[in-house]
Amino acid sequence: MSTSKGALKATKAALGAHKYEEAVKEARKVIEIDPKNYHANVFLGLALDKLEQNEQSERVYAAASEIKTNDALAWQGLIALYEKQNSKKIDEYRRAAVRLAEIYMDVDDKTRCQTVIDKYVGYAKKHGSRKQHKEALGVMLPSSSLYDYLEGRIPHPAYTYTKVVEIVEAEEKERINKEIGERRTRLGAKFGQVTIDVKREVLESSDLERLYSCIIDWTTDDDMRRLYEEKVLQRAYDTLVVIPSLRKHEKRKRVQKLAEGLVILKHPFALAWKIVLEWKDVEKIEELDVGLLNEYTEIFPDDGLSKVIMGYLHSEASPFPKPIESESEEERGETLLLGAPENRLFLMTEGAEESSRSVLSRRLMGEYLLYLDEYSSVVDTARKALDIMKLESEVSGIPFQNNLDAVNILLATALVQHQTPRYHGEARSLFDSVLQRKPGATSALIGVGLILEEEEDYSGAIDFLSRAQKRTTDIKVRTETAWCKALNGDYETGLHELESCLPEIDTSKVRAKDLRAQTLYRIGMCLWNLDTSRTARKDRTGAYARFLSSLQANLSYAPAYTILGTYYADYAKDKKRARKCFQKAFELSASEVEAAERLARAFADQGEWELVEVVAQRVIESGKIRPPPGSKRKGLSWPFAAIGVVQLNNQEYAKSIASYQQALRISPEDYHSWIGLGESYHNAGRYIAATKAFEQSQKLATRLDGINSDDLWFSQYMISNVKRELGDFEDAIVGYKNVLRSRPEEFCVSIALLQTHVESAWRNIELGFFGQAAQSATHTLSVGKAISDYHNEAFNLWKAIGDSCSVFSWVQSYISDLPTELACDLLETGVDLEIYEILAEADGTGKAALREVSASKTSPSLYICMSLAILSHKRAIQVCANDIHAQAVAWFNLGCTEYRTHTCLHGDLRGHSKKKQSFKYLKASVRCLKRAIELEAGNSEFWNALGIVTTQMNPKVSQHAFVRSLFLNDKSARVWTNLGTLYLLQNDHQLANGAFTRAQSVDPDYTHAWVGQGILAMLLGEVKESQGILTHAFEISDSSSIITKREYATSSFDYLLSLQTSYQTIDVLQPLFALQQLKSQTTSDVVFLHLSSLFTERLGNYAEAMNALTTVCDTVEAEYEISESPISLAHFAQAKADLARVQLASLDFKQAAENAEIALDLSSDESSGNPDPAARQKYRLSAHLTAGLAYHYSNEADQAISMFKTALEETDSNPDIICVLAQVLWAKGGEVERTVAREQLFDCVEKHPEHIGATTLLSVIALLDGDADTIQAVAADLHELRTHDSLDIQQQRKIGQLLDAFAKLTPKGVSREQAEMVEATSAIMFAPFKPQGWSQLADLTEETHPADMAVLTTTGSVPPKGSLDAESLCKAYAGACRLADAQRGIVMAPWAAEGWHVLAETMT
């Protein structure tokens, strides 16, 4: 014991000397001896504390505090230790401070106890977190064990609770913001939902609401109490907003209790009042506490809801007594202000906008607007109220069924009247939903009754209205029930009940006057329908008097104006008054559809289409046109049809189509709407749809009654118009004729038939049906004669007649079909012939020309045809003298016809005088086109035509005209082509190429652009490209283009002449077809008739070629006799030479020799001025050869040889002629002649070693002579020639046959089979793709491969891939020695014996 005491003293001494390590040692000695020694533990803890060994010191102090729990020394040491560590041990500090304070409390030392607590709270505030500070403040709250002992020494609980609340509020705000920031970045997170979730978590775990209540309980300051009462309500409401619906019930009760408490105290906290007011679920407004409403307006006078409430309470719609007027002047002024309806409505509207989240505000506003009959505004207000109610129900968890039903009834009632009957379906569903829960809901019963009344289900309406009548004393319900009975056909009962209601209507009220006017009108309608006789309806003391009384009661009652308008229009025959009444009715109400329809018809009759559109559009917007689903009432289609007519007149075809479609959706069997729809489709270019629409109208016409028969023709007429637009002219003509059978003098149909015949004629010209074109033109004149009998002053009539006459100038082979007498009769009937003197001094075509043509007995000519066309267009100018646009077109048409006359007659072969005179038409054309441009300078076609006619006369003017036309329309390929042609004529090839290229880019299918490009390529020497371009132009062109056929045929003939190899039949057929069409179009064009004969000759049709050349000779001879032109003479000589050649081919040797001699005689003089010496040399050579061959076949060898020698002299020993001469000499048979033939051929081969004909002919002669030396020399030449690429397949075959023959004459030491095999394989090596070598090899061997290859290469060498004939193909098939191939060969060439032989062999 003494040892421990000594050690304890030593410890104390060491502590006093600040020797803490020694103190630790000494203290541990004591503890080892006596572990329960309190002071030793305290000293050890202190020493360790000084040595900064905090954890050990804390454990030692704790052990000491357990030894003596009520001793303060250890706890003081702990507190000192904790204070050194700042914020690390604040929670432990709290426990130590509370325990130390309790120890002081136990010894009744209040000062030290308070000091410990104050020191701890200050330390926690300075060094601790918000939570630790809050826990420190909790030590001073009433819930603490020290509060009762220190009460009065520590702050009041209200103050402490306030500090705690501030800390908690800051903590929660920080937590909410932090959690939202973290969670909103997650995938799929929505900000609104994240916010709700976070707030729900925080608010549900929060203790703030209890703390607010504690402040309220402890505070002595009323203002603070009210503040925290507001906070606790707001806190409870915020929690209610975010918690799930299942847990809202209990929370809502607390919120309502808190709100009601504040309202009872009349505390001005808006949330409390709005909760109390907005959460009242009442069926009727009168169930609300009016005192509460007044108090709210007094407390919150500037609030939006207060403004609505004040306005409503002061209105006539309010079920509450009017507010008592205040004695103060200010409040009396405000009351007077609210008494004015406009001021009241303005105040309520402003308040409703300010209180946009208030259901009560919207409901009161809706009730008042319904009272004012502002149905559109009621609909908007009620829909917004429903949206707000849905949100409020989600917040509070209250279903608000009564409020919902009331607002639904409000909405449905407004929908019944708003744009009746557009929204009746929606209104009916709303009423039905209310009636399911409340079968006796009067407003719903009335609403359903009104809907059924509008749907013309009057028995159902009477049922619902009668049920409502039992539940209300409203006079309006009684009158509506009586009116439904009248509408149901019981006019007497309806009249009696309406008359009984009339005295009960209080006329002192403003709104009662409207009801009186309505009732008087309905009484009048009952009288109007009870006796429908004309006398009764005209009686001014009957229904008419009631209608006037109705207007006296209410001058703005629209139905009364409508029925009065009907009275004035149908019975009083006062159209002026009727129209005024209809206008007034429609101005007052767009629902007066009968007045609107009559107005629209009146405006349409006067052509006031804008007013028609306005009326129809307003009816559409009224919502009266479409009946609700299930309604018995028919829809109104006429407003859409009327708008369609207006849009059709304004050429807004897409819109008119849509309008008519809407009309037909309402009335699918509206005949006139189908007609309008078809016409709109037609004008919009949608012809198939138009056809279907018109066909549907015809179907309706056959099965519907009430359609005027006079209107039925129009659909057939429009169908014919559609077929005409589609190019189905035959069906269109049939349709027009069917219409004309019933309406023979219907001008529009007749003129359409006339124009269809003209269009058919032009279309047939494009297709190449020239006979049908002439026939259509003849029919045009016949129809024109029929029209002129009753209407001969139509521009289109004379234009069509002029065009029909012009058609014959495009099909000149049928010009004899022109009915000259009929045309002259048309032009002479019903007109002063002086009108034809227009430009007669320029073109010489006037009344004298008409008389000349009329008196002429000769067959129609081109001159007569064009004269009639010119006169017809002059007549067209006269009949459209009052129409500037038509006059411009008429002058243009005349100008084009004058130019057409110039182009047709300028090349006439009737002499120079005629040709000179034909320029007068060109000058007249220029004058006409200038006149057209003066009248309409903005027409690009006019400028284009002027450019064409001035091309030769004045190129500068022509260029200006084309440029001006392009300025007006630069997308015209025709104008670009014409400009390119002008540049081409002026030899400006670069500009011409640019213009043609631009034309092709604008319209790649425009033929003449390609023709111009082809001609330009030819001028530039690109013959092959030119041929390709002109061929493309011909392929894409129609049959009306003459220049395309001419240029294509010419280039094709040049191409055939340029071919080194033989040509194919198709190369001749297409140009020949083009020339045959050209012959039908221009009968006097002998140049191309001559060219046609050359193509015909190449096809082997010598008889037709001979006839054509005979015609050419006769025509050119007649021309030469008149003009004595060297050109005509040269042409005649060439034609004779060609005729002689054809006659030679036809074996008419005598005529061939004679015509050849004539050609030679006519062309013998080189100085005769022949324009083309090269051509002269060619046809003279042809004549020499023809004459020589003719003499040869006539057995006149000497003359033949003379001709060939002369040909040799003129052609400088042409090798081809030498070959012919050698054959003739050899055929004569004399040794001298054959020697001469050999010599000539040797010389020819020497001079022309690559001439195939001379070499092969010499080879044949060597074979016949058996001359081995010559054969050897010639064989070497043939081997060299066969390597040339220029050889065609026939020449290759000929060389191969000769070499094969040479091989059979084998030299000594070589077998014949070996030589033939070498020759065949050599041929294959030279040309493995050609059939000659393979055929030879197949004949020499029994293997099948050479025969198969012969068949394969032969099939690849027949047209269109090659020029081998069918017989060669048959031989190749026969060489295969197979039954199937033999049959194929027979099919290919049944006349060839090889195929039959092989077939016989294989069969046996």
Side-chain angles (χ1 to χ4, degrees):
M1 176 69 74
S2 61
T3 303
S4 63
K5 287 184 179 180
L8 186 63
K9 289 180 180 179
T11 302
K12 186 175 181 181
L15 287 172
H18 303 292
K19 298 178 181 180
Y20 302 119
E21 293 180 356
E22 185 179 347
V24 169
K25 292 178 182 179
E26 296 297 331
R28 289 188 188 279
K29 291 178 182 179
V30 176
I31 294 172
E32 288 176 0
I33 298 170
D34 184 7
K36 298 294 185 179
N37 190 309
Y38 176 75
H39 289 93
N41 280 284
V42 171
F43 291 156
L44 177 59
L46 178 59
L48 292 172
D49 180 11
K50 297 299 182 178
L51 292 173
E52 301 297 332
Q53 296 180 15
N54 297 332
E55 293 183 2
Q56 295 182 20
S57 175
E58 183 179 3
R59 286 197 295 271
V60 172
Y61 276 136
S65 65
E66 291 176 0
I67 296 171
K68 287 186 178 181
T69 57
N70 293 323
D71 191 88
L73 189 60
W75 294 107
Q76 288 174 346
L78 276 174
I79 289 174
L81 177 64
Y82 292 149
E83 286 179 348
K84 283 175 55 179
Q85 301 181 48
N86 294 331
S87 61
K88 286 184 178 180
K89 298 291 183 177
I90 292 181
D91 293 334
E92 290 80 357
Y93 188 177
R94 176 176 177 278
R95 288 193 295 273
V98 170
R99 180 59 189 148
L100 181 60
E102 288 176 348
I103 292 172
Y104 288 142
M105 180 180 69
D106 292 341
V107 297
D108 194 21
D109 191 346
K110 291 185 177 182
T111 302
R112 288 187 177 184
C113 180
Q114 179 185 355
T115 301
V116 170
I117 295 301
D118 289 344
K119 186 178 180 183
Y120 161 63
V121 171
Y123 186 86
K125 180 179 180 181
K126 181 178 180 181
H127 297 286
S129 63
R130 287 199 186 101
K131 181 180 179 182
Q132 291 167 336
H133 185 208
K134 179 180 67 175
E135 291 175 350
L137 292 173
V139 175
M140 296 188 292
L141 291 176
S143 58
S144 171
S145 59
L146 301 172
Y147 176 77
D148 292 337
Y149 179 70
L150 295 176
E151 186 176 6
R153 287 178 169 269
I154 57 176
H156 192 273
Y159 174 80
T160 306
Y161 275 121
T162 302
K163 296 298 181 180
V164 174
V165 163
E166 290 176 357
I167 294 172
V168 174
E169 287 178 342
E171 284 180 339
E172 290 186 358
K173 183 177 180 181
E174 183 178 343
R175 180 184 171 190
I176 289 173
N177 292 336
K178 180 182 178 181
E179 290 292 329
I180 291 175
E182 290 178 355
R183 297 187 189 185
R184 66 182 297 184
T185 58
R186 297 174 182 174
L187 289 176
K190 296 180 180 179
F191 180 74
Q193 188 60 42
V194 166
T195 303
I196 292 174
D197 293 342
V198 171
K199 284 187 176 181
R200 180 170 60 249
E201 293 174 8
V202 173
L203 295 179
E204 283 187 325
S205 62
S206 173
D207 197 34
L208 262 181
E209 196 172 331
R210 182 189 65 79
L211 294 174
Y212 290 150
S213 300
C214 292
I215 294 175
I216 294 169
D217 294 341
W218 283 98
T219 186
T220 56
D221 187 349
D222 289 340
D223 293 337
M224 180 174 287
R225 182 178 290 108
R226 299 292 171 262
L227 174 63
Y228 280 94
E229 285 176 349
E230 292 177 7
K231 285 193 174 187
V232 73
L233 174 59
Q234 185 68 56
R235 185 70 173 188
Y237 180 80
D238 291 343
T239 307
L240 178 66
V241 170
V242 297
I243 62 176
S245 301
L246 297 177
R247 302 206 300 268
K248 284 182 182 289
H249 180 70
E250 294 299 327
K251 197 67 176 178
R252 183 178 63 250
K253 284 185 176 180
R254 174 165 172 75
V255 170
Q256 287 179 312
K257 182 178 179 181
L258 292 172
E260 288 170 357
L262 289 173
V263 169
I264 291 172
L265 296 173
K266 296 183 181 181
H267 179 64
F269 184 49
L271 177 62
W273 287 87
K274 287 184 179 179
I275 288 173
V276 172
L277 292 175
E278 300 285 351
W279 289 7
K280 291 288 186 182
D281 187 20
V282 295
E283 184 177 352
K284 298 179 181 179
I285 294 295
E286 50 263 35
E287 295 177 18
L288 292 173
D289 185 351
V290 65
L292 199 61
L293 296 176
N294 286 319
E295 289 175 359
Y296 182 81
T297 60
E298 293 173 0
I299 296 172
F300 307 101
D302 297 327
D303 183 69
L305 178 58
S306 291
K307 295 177 181 179
V308 175
I309 293 172
M310 283 190 289
Y312 183 77
L313 293 178
H314 285 82
S315 70
E316 300 85 354
S318 172
F320 305 112
K322 293 290 186 294
I324 300 172
E325 294 185 5
S326 175
E327 295 182 359
S328 67
E329 293 184 3
E330 182 178 351
E331 293 185 1
R332 279 203 305 270
E334 183 178 348
T335 303
L336 291 174
L337 185 65
L338 290 174
E342 61 275 9
N343 294 335
R344 185 164 56 243
L345 181 60
F346 177 78
L347 179 68
M348 293 180 70
T349 303
E350 182 182 359
E353 292 176 357
E354 293 175 0
S355 57
S356 58
R357 289 293 305 274
S358 171
V359 177
L360 179 61
S361 169
R362 297 292 176 181
R363 185 174 174 184
L364 295 176
M365 191 71 189
E367 294 281 355
Y368 183 60
L369 290 172
L370 185 64
Y371 175 79
L372 297 178
D373 296 336
E374 295 291 338
Y375 302 114
S376 175
S377 300
V378 174
V379 171
D380 292 338
T381 302
R383 292 192 191 282
K384 291 176 182 177
L386 290 173
D387 294 338
I388 298 169
M389 197 179 302
K390 181 179 179 182
L391 295 175
E392 197 63 36
S393 179
E394 292 176 356
V395 168
S396 64
I398 303 174
F400 294 116
Q401 191 59 59
N402 290 327
N403 280 346
L404 182 63
D405 290 343
V407 175
N408 278 332
I409 290 175
L410 194 67
L411 173 60
T413 304
L415 289 174
V416 170
Q417 303 296 336
H418 178 52
Q419 295 187 359
T420 302
R422 177 181 293 181
Y423 302 108
H424 279 189
E426 182 183 355
R428 179 66 185 270
S429 65
L430 292 173
F431 283 135
D432 288 344
S433 66
V434 173
L435 290 173
Q436 286 178 357
R437 292 183 296 275
K438 302 171 182 177
T442 305
S443 298
L445 291 171
I446 295 172
V448 175
L450 293 176
I451 291 173
L452 294 174
E453 178 185 343
E454 182 65 29
E455 294 177 357
E456 300 182 1
D457 183 3
Y458 301 120
S459 58
I462 292 170
D463 177 45
F464 276 90
L465 290 173
S466 299
R467 287 162 59 189
Q469 188 176 338
K470 295 176 182 178
R471 293 173 171 80
T472 182
T473 58
D474 191 352
I475 192 66
K476 289 182 67 176
V477 180
R478 287 177 57 194
T479 58
E480 204 66 44
T481 306
W483 177 237
C484 286
K485 292 178 181 178
L487 292 176
N488 200 32
D490 190 358
Y491 292 108
E492 291 186 0
T493 303
L495 175 64
H496 175 72
E497 293 183 4
L498 286 169
E499 288 179 339
S500 66
C501 292
L502 196 60
E504 300 180 21
I505 299 174
D506 186 3
T507 57
S508 61
K509 297 180 179 179
V510 176
R511 297 181 63 81
K513 293 181 179 179
D514 297 340
L515 179 60
R516 179 176 176 81
Q518 184 186 64
T519 306
L520 286 169
Y521 162 76
R522 290 175 173 179
I523 291 171
M525 289 303 298
C526 290
L527 294 172
W528 182 271
N529 290 305
L530 274 173
D531 189 353
T532 59
S533 65
R534 188 174 184 83
T535 304
R537 288 190 171 182
K538 289 182 68 175
D539 185 7
R540 290 180 175 265
T541 61
Y544 175 78
R546 303 304 193 282
F547 298 144
L548 288 181
S549 300
S550 173
L551 290 178
Q552 289 173 355
N554 183 5
L555 285 173
S556 298
Y557 190 62
Y561 285 106
T562 300
I563 191 63
L564 281 175
T566 305
Y567 170 82
Y568 287 126
D570 297 344
Y571 299 99
K573 301 301 180 183
D574 190 342
K575 292 184 178 180
K576 187 175 181 180
R577 282 189 176 183
R579 182 165 176 173
K580 287 183 178 180
C581 288
F582 289 137
Q583 284 181 332
K584 184 65 175 178
F586 191 61
E587 287 173 6
L588 291 171
S589 174
S591 298
E592 293 300 310
V593 292
E594 182 180 354
E597 184 175 4
R598 294 214 182 206
L599 270 181
R601 293 186 183 278
F603 291 142
D605 293 339
Q606 297 175 1
E608 298 177 357
W609 297 110
E610 293 182 358
L611 295 177
V612 172
E613 184 178 15
V614 170
V615 171
Q617 190 62 44
R618 191 176 175 208
V619 173
I620 292 172
E621 293 171 356
S622 70
K624 297 285 287 186
I625 58 172
R626 297 183 188 275
S631 173
K632 297 179 181 179
R633 187 174 64 84
K634 293 182 179 180
L636 300 174
S637 62
W638 70 262
F640 286 115
I643 289 180
V645 173
V646 175
Q647 292 165 341
L648 194 59
N649 287 334
N650 294 337
Q651 299 181 358
E652 297 174 338
Y653 304 124
K655 293 181 179 180
S656 68
I657 289 170
S659 297
Y660 281 120
Q661 286 175 338
Q662 288 179 308
L664 288 169
R665 290 190 189 102
I666 297 173
S667 301
E669 296 189 346
D670 185 354
Y671 171 80
H672 295 287
S673 291
W674 281 109
I675 292 291
L677 179 62
E679 192 171 356
S680 299
Y681 277 135
H682 170 263
N683 293 335
R686 299 168 63 178
Y687 301 120
I688 302 301
T691 303
K692 292 180 180 179
F694 289 128
E695 288 175 350
Q696 179 64 23
S697 69
Q698 287 188 319
K699 290 179 183 177
L700 289 175
T702 57
R703 59 188 176 86
L704 292 180
D705 298 330
I707 297 178
N708 190 349
S709 59
D710 292 337
D711 295 338
L712 298 181
W713 65 272
F714 188 74
S715 60
Q716 179 61 52
Y717 164 67
M718 290 303 299
I719 289 177
S720 300
N721 285 344
V722 173
K723 292 185 180 297
R724 170 185 165 192
E725 295 290 348
L726 291 173
D728 190 358
F729 299 115
E730 292 183 4
D731 289 348
I733 289 169
V734 171
Y736 290 135
K737 287 182 177 178
N738 290 337
V739 175
L740 288 173
R741 288 191 186 96
S742 59
R743 303 177 70 86
E745 294 188 358
E746 190 65 51
F747 177 71
C748 65
V749 182
S750 298
I751 208 71
L753 175 61
L754 183 76
Q755 292 173 330
T756 305
H757 277 302
V758 175
E759 291 172 10
S760 177
W762 291 119
R763 182 59 177 165
N764 284 325
I765 290 175
E766 292 176 358
L767 297 175
F769 302 143
F770 301 128
Q772 293 184 17
Q775 188 177 5
S776 296
T778 303
H779 290 328
T780 303
L781 293 172
S782 301
V783 175
K785 178 65 173 118
I787 296 174
S788 66
D789 292 339
Y790 66 91
H791 195 303
N792 64 353
E793 294 297 318
F795 166 73
N796 288 337
L797 167 65
W798 297 106
K799 179 185 180 300
I801 291 173
D803 289 345
S804 65
C805 293
S806 297
V807 165
F808 288 97
S809 70
W810 292 90
V811 288
Q812 296 176 16
S813 59
Y814 296 92
I815 205 166
S816 59
D817 295 343
L818 174 64
T820 308
E821 294 182 3
L822 179 60
C824 291
D825 187 28
L826 269 168
L827 292 169
E828 292 174 341
T829 303
V831 68
D832 184 2
L833 297 183
E834 290 296 328
I835 66 168
Y836 297 121
E837 292 301 306
I838 300 173
L839 292 182
E841 75 285 357
D843 60 10
T845 306
K847 60 182 181 180
L850 178 58
R851 292 193 184 102
E852 178 186 351
V853 172
S854 180
S856 176
K857 301 299 182 183
T858 60
S859 61
S861 64
L862 191 57
Y863 170 75
I864 291 175
C865 163
M866 296 312 300
S867 296
L868 292 173
I870 290 172
L871 292 169
S872 298
H873 287 299
K874 288 183 177 181
R875 181 74 177 272
I877 292 174
Q878 185 269 333
V879 299
C880 65
N882 297 324
D883 188 341
I884 294 178
H885 175 70
Q887 216 174 16
V889 175
W891 280 105
F892 169 74
N893 293 335
L894 178 59
C896 293
T897 306
E898 297 274 10
Y899 182 70
R900 177 65 183 164
T901 306
H902 165 74
T903 57
C904 290
L905 300 183
H906 189 62
D908 202 337
L909 297 177
R910 290 177 291 177
H912 286 293
S913 59
K914 288 291 183 182
K915 291 169 71 175
K916 291 179 180 178
Q917 290 178 8
S918 65
F919 279 103
K920 64 186 180 182
Y921 297 110
L922 184 61
K923 295 177 181 178
S925 175
V926 173
R927 291 178 59 181
C928 292
L929 293 172
K930 286 183 177 179
R931 177 61 178 155
I933 290 172
E934 288 176 3
L935 294 172
E936 189 176 341
N939 193 312
S940 63
E941 292 295 326
F942 294 178
W943 286 101
N944 177 51
L946 180 63
I948 293 173
V949 301
T950 57
T951 300
Q952 295 178 344
M953 298 175 64
N954 193 331
K956 292 184 178 180
V957 173
S958 177
Q959 182 186 23
H960 170 74
F962 288 138
V963 171
R964 183 63 181 172
S965 177
L966 290 172
F967 173 76
L968 295 171
N969 179 19
D970 63 347
K971 301 297 183 183
S972 174
R974 180 184 304 173
V975 183
W976 280 109
T977 303
N978 292 336
L979 181 61
T981 304
L982 175 65
Y983 291 144
L984 192 62
L985 292 173
Q986 301 301 315
N987 294 320
D988 193 336
H989 296 163
Q990 184 176 357
L991 288 178
N993 180 64
F996 289 138
T997 304
R998 181 65 182 272
Q1000 291 164 1
S1001 65
V1002 171
D1003 184 2
D1005 293 330
Y1006 185 61
T1007 305
H1008 290 174
W1010 292 99
V1011 173
Q1013 197 82 34
I1015 295 173
L1016 180 61
M1018 185 181 297
L1019 293 175
L1020 296 175
E1022 299 173 358
V1023 179
K1024 188 174 182 180
E1025 182 180 354
S1026 173
Q1027 165 64 16
I1029 292 173
L1030 291 172
T1031 301
H1032 174 70
F1034 177 74
E1035 289 172 350
I1036 66 174
S1037 69
D1038 55 47
S1039 296
S1040 64
S1041 177
I1042 293 176
I1043 189 173
T1044 306
K1045 300 186 188 75
R1046 287 176 173 172
E1047 296 301 327
Y1048 170 65
T1050 304
S1051 66
S1052 296
F1053 190 74
D1054 293 339
Y1055 171 72
L1056 292 179
L1057 294 180
S1058 66
L1059 288 176
Q1060 299 296 326
T1061 59
S1062 58
Y1063 53 82
Q1064 301 176 18
T1065 303
I1066 195 169
D1067 295 330
V1068 180
L1069 284 177
Q1070 272 193 320
L1072 184 58
F1073 289 152
L1075 289 168
Q1076 290 295 333
Q1077 285 190 335
L1078 189 61
K1079 180 181 177 182
S1080 297
Q1081 291 182 273
T1082 56
T1083 56
S1084 60
D1085 198 338
V1086 294
V1087 174
F1088 288 94
L1089 181 60
H1090 190 173
L1091 183 60
S1092 175
S1093 68
L1094 298 180
F1095 278 108
T1096 307
E1097 176 190 0
R1098 279 160 173 76
L1099 285 176
N1101 190 354
Y1102 302 120
E1104 186 174 344
M1106 195 183 306
N1107 293 333
L1109 286 168
T1110 302
T1111 303
V1112 172
C1113 290
D1114 294 341
T1115 305
V1116 177
E1117 184 179 11
E1119 179 185 359
Y1120 177 73
E1121 290 176 355
I1122 296 173
S1123 62
E1124 297 183 355
S1125 167
I1127 298 176
S1128 299
L1129 180 61
H1131 191 182
F1132 180 66
Q1134 185 175 359
K1136 280 293 184 181
D1138 293 337
L1139 177 60
R1141 187 176 61 253
V1142 174
Q1143 288 169 338
L1144 175 64
S1146 302
L1147 306 181
D1148 189 355
F1149 305 125
K1150 182 178 179 181
Q1151 289 295 324
E1154 181 182 342
N1155 285 319
E1157 292 281 7
I1158 293 172
L1160 291 171
D1161 291 341
L1162 293 175
S1163 60
S1164 59
D1165 187 5
E1166 293 185 11
S1167 61
S1168 59
N1170 194 300
D1172 192 351
R1176 172 182 173 276
Q1177 184 180 5
K1178 287 181 180 180
Y1179 68 71
R1180 278 186 63 79
L1181 175 60
S1182 174
H1184 279 300
L1185 293 175
T1186 301
L1189 290 172
Y1191 285 133
H1192 168 68
Y1193 289 114
S1194 299
N1195 297 320
E1196 299 177 13
D1198 295 335
Q1199 289 180 317
I1201 293 171
S1202 175
M1203 282 293 175
F1204 291 135
K1205 287 181 178 180
T1206 307
L1208 282 174
E1209 293 172 359
E1210 291 190 7
T1211 60
D1212 194 17
S1213 300
N1214 186 291
D1216 292 324
I1217 300 174
I1218 292 174
C1219 291
V1220 176
L1221 177 60
Q1223 292 177 66
V1224 173
L1225 289 172
W1226 191 271
K1228 190 173 182 182
E1231 188 60 33
V1232 176
E1233 287 81 1
R1234 292 187 176 186
T1235 302
V1236 172
R1238 291 188 189 98
E1239 292 174 354
Q1240 290 289 336
L1241 288 173
F1242 276 118
D1243 291 341
C1244 181
V1245 171
E1246 184 179 355
K1247 293 179 180 179
H1248 306 283
E1250 295 184 358
H1251 192 270
I1252 305 298
T1255 306
T1256 56
L1257 190 56
L1258 186 58
S1259 301
V1260 173
I1261 291 174
L1263 279 172
L1264 293 175
D1265 290 342
D1267 187 351
D1269 295 335
T1270 305
I1271 288 174
Q1272 186 177 1
V1274 174
D1277 292 338
L1278 290 176
H1279 278 296
E1280 183 181 353
L1281 286 173
R1282 76 189 301 181
T1283 61
H1284 291 185
D1285 295 333
S1286 60
L1287 298 182
D1288 62 19
I1289 194 168
Q1290 298 293 348
Q1291 292 172 333
Q1292 287 278 5
R1293 179 182 287 274
K1294 187 183 293 185
I1295 294 173
Q1297 290 173 345
L1298 286 171
L1299 292 173
D1300 188 40
F1302 290 163
K1304 293 177 181 179
L1305 300 175
T1306 56
K1308 293 180 180 180
V1310 180
S1311 66
R1312 178 177 176 179
E1313 291 78 5
Q1314 185 179 2
E1316 289 179 350
M1317 185 68 71
V1318 169
E1319 189 59 41
T1321 54
S1322 298
I1324 293 173
M1325 288 298 294
F1326 278 120
F1329 54 88
K1330 293 185 178 180
Q1332 289 78 18
W1334 293 107
S1335 298
Q1336 294 173 16
L1337 186 60
D1339 293 338
L1340 297 172
T1341 180
E1342 295 181 357
E1343 294 182 10
T1344 59
H1345 179 68
D1348 293 339
M1349 290 302 298
V1351 171
L1352 181 62
T1353 53
T1354 304
T1355 54
S1357 299
V1358 297
K1361 299 179 181 178
S1363 58
L1364 277 183
D1365 55 13
E1367 191 169 348
S1368 300
L1369 183 58
C1370 176
K1371 291 178 181 179
Y1373 277 123
C1377 298
R1378 289 189 292 263
L1379 177 62
D1381 287 329
Q1383 292 173 334
R1384 292 189 183 95
I1386 292 171
V1387 171
M1388 293 297 172
W1391 63 86
E1394 289 83 357
W1396 294 103
H1397 289 319
V1398 173
L1399 180 63
E1401 291 175 3
T1402 54
M1403 291 292 289
T1404 58

